Amino acid sequence: MSERVAMLHGDTVVRIHWKLGTDVLVGVCHCGAEHESEDPVELWEWLLAHPDGHDRPEPVVPREPVLSAAQG
């Protein structure tokens, strides 16, 4: 009998996974970017600094209006 473990989700959640059989840790940012390191301090520094633009909204690019056949 096994129960499913709930995982946190959101734009501030980061994860560190250990590659079995190695000394390698894999940091995963909420955006999906990954970084590998054997040094946990280096990995946490990368996660906490990656990337600098997560808190800024992306610029909105205006799109050209689409004319229907009836309009023009």
Side-chain angles (χ1 to χ4, degrees):
M1 177 185 277
S2 66
E3 292 185 24
R4 202 167 202 152
V5 177
M7 293 181 69
L8 296 175
H9 298 280
D11 61 0
T12 58
V13 177
V14 295
R15 302 188 192 298
I16 294 182
H17 303 277
W18 169 53
K19 282 190 167 184
L20 292 174
T22 70
D23 291 334
V24 177
L25 300 170
V26 180
V28 182
C29 180
H30 65 83
C31 73
E34 295 183 3
H35 181 75
E36 292 185 359
S37 178
E38 291 184 10
D39 180 7
V41 174
E42 175 192 331
L43 194 55
W44 273 112
E45 287 174 348
W46 179 82
L47 280 168
L48 296 174
H50 171 80
D52 294 331
H54 273 332
D55 57 337
R56 287 181 239 137
E58 292 189 26
V60 177
V61 178
R63 296 185 341 185
E64 295 292 323
V66 178
L67 297 176
S68 67
Q71 290 177 332

Coordinates of all heavy atoms in Angstrom, one line a residue:
M1 N 0.9 -1.2 0.0 CA 0.0 0.0 0.0 C 0.9 1.2 0.0 O 1.7 1.4 0.9 CB -0.9 0.0 1.2 CG -1.8 1.2 1.3 SD -2.7 1.3 2.9 CE -4.1 0.2 2.4
S2 N 0.8 2.1 -1.0 CA 1.6 3.3 -1.1 C 0.6 4.5 -1.3 O -0.4 4.4 -2.0 CB 2.6 3.2 -2.2 OG 2.0 3.2 -3.4
E3 N 1.0 5.6 -0.7 CA 0.3 6.8 -0.8 C 1.1 7.7 -1.7 O 2.3 7.8 -1.7 CB 0.0 7.4 0.6 CG -0.9 6.6 1.4 CD -1.3 7.3 2.7 OE1 -1.2 8.5 2.7 OE2 -1.6 6.6 3.6
R4 N 0.4 8.5 -2.4 CA 1.0 9.5 -3.3 C 1.5 10.7 -2.4 O 0.7 11.2 -1.6 CB 0.0 10.0 -4.3 CG 0.6 10.6 -5.5 CD -0.4 10.7 -6.6 NE 0.5 10.8 -7.7 CZ 0.3 10.4 -8.9 NH1 -0.9 10.0 -9.2 NH2 1.2 10.5 -9.8
V5 N 2.7 11.1 -2.7 CA 3.2 12.2 -2.0 C 2.9 13.5 -2.7 O 3.2 13.7 -3.9 CB 4.8 12.1 -1.8 CG1 5.4 13.3 -1.1 CG2 5.1 10.8 -1.1
A6 N 2.3 14.5 -2.0 CA 2.0 15.8 -2.6 C 3.2 16.6 -2.8 O 4.1 16.6 -2.0 CB 1.0 16.5 -1.7
M7 N 3.3 17.2 -4.0 CA 4.5 18.1 -4.3 C 4.0 19.5 -4.4 O 2.9 19.8 -4.9 CB 5.2 17.6 -5.6 CG 5.8 16.2 -5.4 SD 6.6 15.7 -6.9 CE 8.0 16.8 -7.0
L8 N 4.9 20.4 -4.0 CA 4.5 21.8 -4.1 C 4.7 22.2 -5.6 O 5.5 21.7 -6.3 CB 5.5 22.6 -3.3 CG 5.4 22.4 -1.8 CD1 6.5 23.2 -1.1 CD2 4.0 22.9 -1.3
H9 N 3.9 23.2 -6.0 CA 3.9 23.7 -7.3 C 3.9 25.2 -7.2 O 3.4 25.8 -6.2 CB 2.8 23.3 -8.2 CG 2.7 21.8 -8.4 ND1 3.5 21.1 -9.3 CD2 2.0 20.8 -7.7 CE1 3.3 19.8 -9.2 NE2 2.4 19.6 -8.3
G10 N 4.4 25.9 -8.2 CA 4.3 27.4 -8.2 C 5.5 28.0 -8.8 O 6.5 27.4 -9.1
D11 N 5.5 29.3 -8.9 CA 6.6 30.1 -9.6 C 7.7 30.4 -8.6 O 8.6 31.2 -9.0 CB 6.1 31.3 -10.3 CG 5.4 32.3 -9.4 OD1 5.3 32.0 -8.2 OD2 4.9 33.3 -9.9
T12 N 7.7 29.9 -7.4 CA 8.8 30.1 -6.5 C 9.4 28.8 -6.0 O 10.2 28.8 -5.1 CB 8.3 30.9 -5.3 OG1 7.3 30.3 -4.6 CG2 7.9 32.3 -5.7
V13 N 8.9 27.7 -6.5 CA 9.4 26.4 -6.1 C 10.6 25.9 -6.9 O 10.5 25.9 -8.1 CB 8.2 25.3 -6.2 CG1 8.7 23.9 -5.8 CG2 7.0 25.7 -5.4
V14 N 11.6 25.6 -6.2 CA 12.8 25.0 -6.9 C 13.1 23.6 -6.3 O 12.6 23.3 -5.1 CB 14.0 25.9 -6.8 CG1 13.8 27.2 -7.5 CG2 14.4 26.2 -5.3
R15 N 13.8 22.8 -7.0 CA 14.0 21.4 -6.5 C 15.5 21.0 -6.7 O 16.1 21.5 -7.6 CB 13.2 20.4 -7.2 CG 11.7 20.7 -7.1 CD 10.9 19.5 -7.7 NE 9.5 19.8 -7.9 CZ 8.7 20.1 -7.0 NH1 9.0 20.2 -5.8 NH2 7.4 20.3 -7.3
I16 N 16.0 20.2 -5.8 CA 17.3 19.6 -6.0 C 17.1 18.1 -5.9 O 16.5 17.5 -5.0 CB 18.3 20.0 -4.9 CG1 18.5 21.5 -5.0 CG2 19.6 19.2 -5.0 CD1 19.5 22.1 -4.1
H17 N 17.6 17.4 -7.0 CA 17.5 15.9 -7.1 C 19.0 15.4 -7.0 O 19.9 16.0 -7.5 CB 16.9 15.5 -8.4 CG 15.6 16.1 -8.6 ND1 14.4 15.5 -8.1 CD2 15.1 17.2 -9.3 CE1 13.4 16.2 -8.4 NE2 13.8 17.2 -9.2
W18 N 19.1 14.2 -6.5 CA 20.4 13.5 -6.4 C 20.4 12.5 -7.5 O 19.4 11.7 -7.6 CB 20.6 12.9 -5.0 CG 21.7 12.0 -4.9 CD1 23.0 12.2 -5.2 CD2 21.7 10.7 -4.4 NE1 23.8 11.1 -4.9 CE2 23.0 10.2 -4.4 CE3 20.6 9.9 -3.8 CZ2 23.3 8.9 -3.9 CZ3 21.0 8.6 -3.4 CH2 22.3 8.1 -3.4
K19 N 21.4 12.4 -8.3 CA 21.6 11.4 -9.3 C 22.1 10.1 -8.6 O 23.2 10.1 -8.1 CB 22.5 11.8 -10.4 CG 21.9 12.7 -11.4 CD 22.9 12.8 -12.6 CE 22.2 13.5 -13.8 NZ 23.1 13.5 -14.9
L20 N 21.3 9.1 -8.6 CA 21.6 7.8 -7.8 C 23.0 7.3 -8.3 O 23.3 7.3 -9.5 CB 20.6 6.8 -8.1 CG 19.2 7.1 -7.4 CD1 18.2 6.0 -7.8 CD2 19.4 7.1 -5.9
G21 N 23.8 6.9 -7.4 CA 25.1 6.3 -7.7 C 26.2 7.2 -8.0 O 27.2 6.8 -8.4
T22 N 25.9 8.5 -7.8 CA 26.9 9.6 -8.2 C 26.9 10.6 -7.0 O 26.1 10.5 -6.1 CB 26.6 10.3 -9.5 OG1 25.4 11.1 -9.3 CG2 26.3 9.4 -10.6
D23 N 27.8 11.5 -7.1 CA 27.9 12.7 -6.2 C 27.2 13.9 -6.8 O 27.4 15.0 -6.4 CB 29.3 13.0 -5.8 CG 29.9 11.9 -5.0 OD1 29.2 11.2 -4.3 OD2 31.1 11.8 -5.0
V24 N 26.5 13.7 -7.9 CA 25.9 14.8 -8.7 C 24.6 15.2 -8.2 O 23.7 14.3 -8.0 CB 25.9 14.5 -10.2 CG1 25.2 15.6 -11.0 CG2 27.3 14.2 -10.7
L25 N 24.4 16.5 -8.0 CA 23.0 17.0 -7.7 C 22.5 17.8 -8.9 O 23.3 18.4 -9.6 CB 23.2 18.0 -6.5 CG 23.7 17.3 -5.2 CD1 24.0 18.4 -4.1 CD2 22.7 16.3 -4.6
V26 N 21.2 17.7 -9.1 CA 20.6 18.5 -10.2 C 19.6 19.5 -9.6 O 18.6 19.1 -8.9 CB 19.9 17.5 -11.2 CG1 19.2 18.3 -12.3 CG2 20.8 16.4 -11.7
G27 N 19.8 20.7 -9.9 CA 18.9 21.8 -9.4 C 17.9 22.1 -10.6 O 18.3 22.2 -11.7
V28 N 16.7 22.2 -10.2 CA 15.6 22.4 -11.2 C 14.8 23.7 -10.8 O 14.2 23.7 -9.7 CB 14.6 21.2 -11.3 CG1 13.6 21.5 -12.4 CG2 15.4 19.9 -11.6
C29 N 14.9 24.7 -11.6 CA 14.1 25.9 -11.4 C 12.7 25.7 -11.8 O 12.4 24.8 -12.6 CB 14.7 27.0 -12.2 SG 13.9 28.6 -12.0
H30 N 11.8 26.5 -11.3 CA 10.4 26.4 -11.6 C 10.1 26.6 -13.1 O 9.1 26.2 -13.7 CB 9.5 27.3 -10.8 CG 9.8 28.8 -11.1 ND1 9.2 29.5 -12.1 CD2 10.6 29.7 -10.4 CE1 9.6 30.7 -12.1 NE2 10.5 30.8 -11.1
C31 N 11.0 27.3 -13.8 CA 10.9 27.5 -15.3 C 11.3 26.3 -16.1 O 11.1 26.3 -17.3 CB 11.7 28.8 -15.7 SG 13.4 28.5 -15.8
G32 N 11.9 25.3 -15.4 CA 12.4 24.1 -16.1 C 13.9 24.1 -16.4 O 14.4 23.0 -16.8
A33 N 14.6 25.2 -16.2 CA 16.0 25.1 -16.4 C 16.7 24.2 -15.3 O 16.2 24.2 -14.2 CB 16.6 26.6 -16.2
E34 N 17.7 23.6 -15.7 CA 18.4 22.6 -14.9 C 19.9 23.0 -14.8 O 20.5 23.5 -15.8 CB 18.3 21.2 -15.3 CG 16.8 20.7 -15.2 CD 16.7 19.2 -15.6 OE1 17.7 18.6 -15.9 OE2 15.6 18.8 -15.7
H35 N 20.6 22.7 -13.7 CA 22.0 22.9 -13.5 C 22.5 21.7 -12.6 O 21.9 21.4 -11.6 CB 22.2 24.2 -12.8 CG 23.7 24.5 -12.6 ND1 24.5 24.9 -13.7 CD2 24.5 24.5 -11.5 CE1 25.7 25.2 -13.2 NE2 25.7 24.9 -11.9
E36 N 23.6 21.1 -13.0 CA 24.2 20.0 -12.3 C 25.5 20.5 -11.6 O 26.2 21.3 -12.1 CB 24.6 18.9 -13.2 CG 23.4 18.2 -13.8 CD 23.8 17.0 -14.6 OE1 25.0 16.7 -14.7 OE2 22.9 16.3 -15.1
S37 N 25.7 20.0 -10.4 CA 26.9 20.3 -9.6 C 27.1 19.2 -8.5 O 26.1 18.7 -8.0 CB 26.8 21.7 -9.0 OG 27.9 22.0 -8.2
E38 N 28.4 19.0 -8.2 CA 28.7 18.2 -7.0 C 28.7 19.0 -5.7 O 28.7 18.5 -4.6 CB 30.0 17.5 -7.2 CG 29.9 16.4 -8.3 CD 31.2 15.6 -8.4 OE1 32.1 15.8 -7.5 OE2 31.3 14.8 -9.4
D39 N 28.7 20.3 -5.9 CA 28.8 21.3 -4.8 C 27.4 21.8 -4.4 O 26.9 22.6 -5.2 CB 29.8 22.4 -5.1 CG 29.9 23.4 -4.0 OD1 29.4 23.2 -2.9 OD2 30.6 24.4 -4.2
P40 N 26.8 21.5 -3.3 CA 25.5 21.9 -3.0 C 25.4 23.5 -2.8 O 24.4 24.1 -3.2 CB 25.1 21.2 -1.7 CG 26.4 20.6 -1.2 CD 27.4 20.5 -2.3
V41 N 26.5 24.1 -2.3 CA 26.5 25.5 -2.2 C 26.4 26.2 -3.6 O 25.6 27.1 -3.8 CB 27.7 26.0 -1.4 CG1 27.8 27.5 -1.4 CG2 27.7 25.5 0.0
E42 N 27.2 25.7 -4.5 CA 27.2 26.3 -5.9 C 25.8 26.1 -6.5 O 25.2 27.0 -7.1 CB 28.2 25.6 -6.8 CG 28.1 26.0 -8.2 CD 28.9 25.1 -9.1 OE1 29.9 24.5 -8.7 OE2 28.5 24.9 -10.3
L43 N 25.2 25.0 -6.2 CA 23.8 24.7 -6.8 C 22.8 25.6 -6.2 O 22.0 26.2 -6.9 CB 23.5 23.2 -6.5 CG 22.3 22.7 -7.3 CD1 22.5 22.9 -8.8 CD2 22.1 21.2 -7.0
W44 N 22.8 25.8 -4.9 CA 21.9 26.7 -4.3 C 22.1 28.2 -4.7 O 21.1 28.9 -5.0 CB 21.9 26.7 -2.7 CG 21.0 25.6 -2.2 CD1 21.4 24.4 -1.6 CD2 19.6 25.5 -2.3 NE1 20.3 23.7 -1.3 CE2 19.2 24.3 -1.7 CE3 18.7 26.4 -2.8 CZ2 17.9 24.0 -1.6 CZ3 17.3 26.0 -2.6 CH2 16.9 24.8 -2.0
E45 N 23.3 28.6 -4.9 CA 23.6 29.9 -5.4 C 23.0 30.1 -6.8 O 22.4 31.1 -7.1 CB 25.1 30.2 -5.4 CG 25.6 30.4 -4.0 CD 27.1 30.6 -4.0 OE1 27.8 30.3 -5.0 OE2 27.6 31.0 -2.9
W46 N 23.2 29.1 -7.6 CA 22.6 29.1 -9.0 C 21.1 29.2 -8.9 O 20.4 30.0 -9.6 CB 23.0 27.9 -9.8 CG 22.5 27.9 -11.2 CD1 22.9 28.6 -12.3 CD2 21.3 27.3 -11.6 NE1 22.1 28.4 -13.4 CE2 21.1 27.6 -13.0 CE3 20.3 26.5 -11.0 CZ2 20.0 27.1 -13.7 CZ3 19.3 26.0 -11.8 CH2 19.1 26.3 -13.1
L47 N 20.5 28.3 -8.1 CA 19.0 28.3 -8.0 C 18.4 29.7 -7.5 O 17.5 30.2 -8.1 CB 18.5 27.2 -7.1 CG 18.5 25.8 -7.7 CD1 18.3 24.8 -6.6 CD2 17.4 25.7 -8.8
L48 N 19.1 30.2 -6.5 CA 18.5 31.5 -5.9 C 18.8 32.7 -6.8 O 18.1 33.7 -6.8 CB 19.2 31.7 -4.6 CG 18.8 30.6 -3.5 CD1 19.6 30.9 -2.2 CD2 17.3 30.6 -3.3
A49 N 19.7 32.6 -7.7 CA 20.0 33.7 -8.7 C 19.4 33.5 -10.0 O 19.4 34.4 -10.8 CB 21.5 33.8 -8.8
H50 N 18.9 32.3 -10.3 CA 18.4 32.0 -11.7 C 17.0 32.4 -11.9 O 16.2 32.0 -11.1 CB 18.6 30.6 -12.0 CG 17.9 30.2 -13.3 ND1 18.5 30.4 -14.5 CD2 16.7 29.7 -13.6 CE1 17.7 30.1 -15.5 NE2 16.6 29.6 -14.9
P51 N 16.6 32.8 -13.1 CA 17.3 33.9 -13.7 C 16.9 35.2 -13.0 O 15.9 35.2 -12.3 CB 16.9 33.8 -15.1 CG 15.6 33.3 -15.1 CD 15.5 32.4 -13.9
D52 N 17.5 36.2 -13.3 CA 17.2 37.5 -12.7 C 15.9 38.1 -13.1 O 15.3 38.9 -12.4 CB 18.3 38.6 -13.0 CG 19.6 38.2 -12.3 OD1 19.6 37.5 -11.3 OD2 20.7 38.5 -12.9
G53 N 15.3 37.6 -14.2 CA 14.1 38.2 -14.7 C 12.8 37.5 -14.4 O 11.8 37.8 -14.9
H54 N 12.8 36.5 -13.5 CA 11.6 35.8 -13.2 C 10.5 36.7 -12.6 O 9.3 36.4 -12.8 CB 11.8 34.6 -12.2 CG 12.2 33.4 -12.9 ND1 11.9 33.0 -14.1 CD2 13.0 32.4 -12.4 CE1 12.4 31.8 -14.4 NE2 13.1 31.4 -13.4
D55 N 10.9 37.7 -11.9 CA 9.9 38.5 -11.2 C 9.3 39.6 -12.1 O 8.4 40.3 -11.7 CB 10.4 39.1 -9.9 CG 11.7 39.9 -10.2 OD1 12.3 39.7 -11.2 OD2 12.0 40.8 -9.3
R56 N 9.9 39.8 -13.3 CA 9.4 40.8 -14.2 C 8.5 40.2 -15.3 O 8.8 39.2 -15.8 CB 10.6 41.5 -14.9 CG 11.3 42.4 -14.0 CD 12.4 43.1 -14.7 NE 13.6 42.7 -14.0 CZ 14.8 42.3 -14.5 NH1 14.9 42.3 -15.8 NH2 15.8 41.9 -13.8
P57 N 7.3 40.8 -15.5 CA 6.4 40.3 -16.6 C 7.1 40.5 -17.9 O 7.8 41.4 -18.2 CB 5.1 41.1 -16.4 CG 5.5 42.3 -15.7 CD 6.7 42.0 -14.9
E58 N 6.8 39.5 -18.8 CA 7.3 39.7 -20.2 C 6.6 40.8 -20.9 O 5.4 41.0 -20.7 CB 7.1 38.3 -20.9 CG 8.0 37.2 -20.4 CD 8.0 36.0 -21.3 OE1 7.7 36.1 -22.5 OE2 8.2 34.9 -20.7
P59 N 7.3 41.5 -21.8 CA 6.6 42.6 -22.5 C 5.6 42.0 -23.5 O 5.7 40.9 -24.1 CB 7.8 43.2 -23.3 CG 8.9 42.2 -23.3 CD 8.7 41.4 -22.1
V60 N 4.5 42.8 -23.6 CA 3.4 42.4 -24.5 C 3.7 42.9 -25.9 O 3.9 44.1 -26.1 CB 2.1 42.9 -24.0 CG1 1.0 42.5 -25.0 CG2 1.8 42.3 -22.6
V61 N 3.7 42.0 -26.9 CA 4.0 42.5 -28.3 C 2.6 42.6 -29.0 O 1.9 41.7 -29.0 CB 4.8 41.4 -29.0 CG1 5.1 41.8 -30.4 CG2 6.1 41.2 -28.3
P62 N 2.3 43.8 -29.5 CA 1.0 44.0 -30.1 C 1.0 43.2 -31.4 O 2.0 43.1 -32.1 CB 1.0 45.5 -30.4 CG 2.4 46.0 -30.3 CD 3.1 45.1 -29.4
R63 N -0.2 42.7 -31.7 CA -0.3 41.9 -32.9 C -1.2 42.7 -33.9 O -2.0 43.5 -33.5 CB -1.0 40.6 -32.6 CG -0.2 39.7 -31.7 CD -0.8 38.4 -31.5 NE -2.2 38.2 -31.8 CZ -2.9 37.1 -31.5 NH1 -2.3 36.1 -30.9 NH2 -4.1 37.0 -31.8
E64 N -0.9 42.5 -35.2 CA -1.7 43.1 -36.2 C -3.1 42.6 -36.2 O -3.3 41.4 -36.1 CB -1.0 42.8 -37.6 CG 0.3 43.4 -37.8 CD 0.3 45.0 -37.8 OE1 -0.6 45.5 -38.4 OE2 1.2 45.6 -37.2
P65 N -4.1 43.5 -36.4 CA -5.5 43.0 -36.4 C -5.7 42.1 -37.7 O -5.1 42.4 -38.8 CB -6.3 44.3 -36.5 CG -5.4 45.3 -36.9 CD -4.0 44.9 -36.5
V66 N -6.5 41.1 -37.6 CA -6.8 40.3 -38.7 C -8.1 40.7 -39.3 O -9.1 40.9 -38.6 CB -7.0 38.8 -38.2 CG1 -7.4 37.9 -39.4 CG2 -5.7 38.3 -37.6
L67 N -8.1 41.0 -40.6 CA -9.3 41.5 -41.3 C -10.0 40.3 -41.9 O -9.4 39.4 -42.5 CB -8.9 42.5 -42.5 CG -8.2 43.8 -42.0 CD1 -7.9 44.5 -43.3 CD2 -9.1 44.6 -41.1
S68 N -11.3 40.3 -41.7 CA -12.1 39.2 -42.3 C -12.4 39.6 -43.7 O -12.3 40.7 -44.2 CB -13.4 39.0 -41.5 OG -14.3 40.1 -41.6
A69 N -12.9 38.6 -44.5 CA -13.2 38.8 -45.9 C -14.4 39.9 -46.0 O -14.4 40.7 -47.0 CB -13.6 37.5 -46.6
A70 N -15.2 40.0 -45.1 CA -16.3 40.9 -45.1 C -15.9 42.3 -44.9 O -16.5 43.3 -45.3 CB -17.4 40.6 -44.1
Q71 N -14.7 42.5 -44.2 CA -14.2 43.8 -43.9 C -13.3 44.4 -45.0 O -13.1 45.6 -45.1 CB -13.4 43.8 -42.6 CG -14.2 43.6 -41.3 CD -13.4 43.5 -40.1 OE1 -12.2 43.1 -40.2 NE2 -14.0 43.9 -39.0
G72 N -12.8 43.6 -45.8 CA -11.9 44.2 -46.7 C -11.3 43.6 -47.7 O -10.6 44.0 -48.5

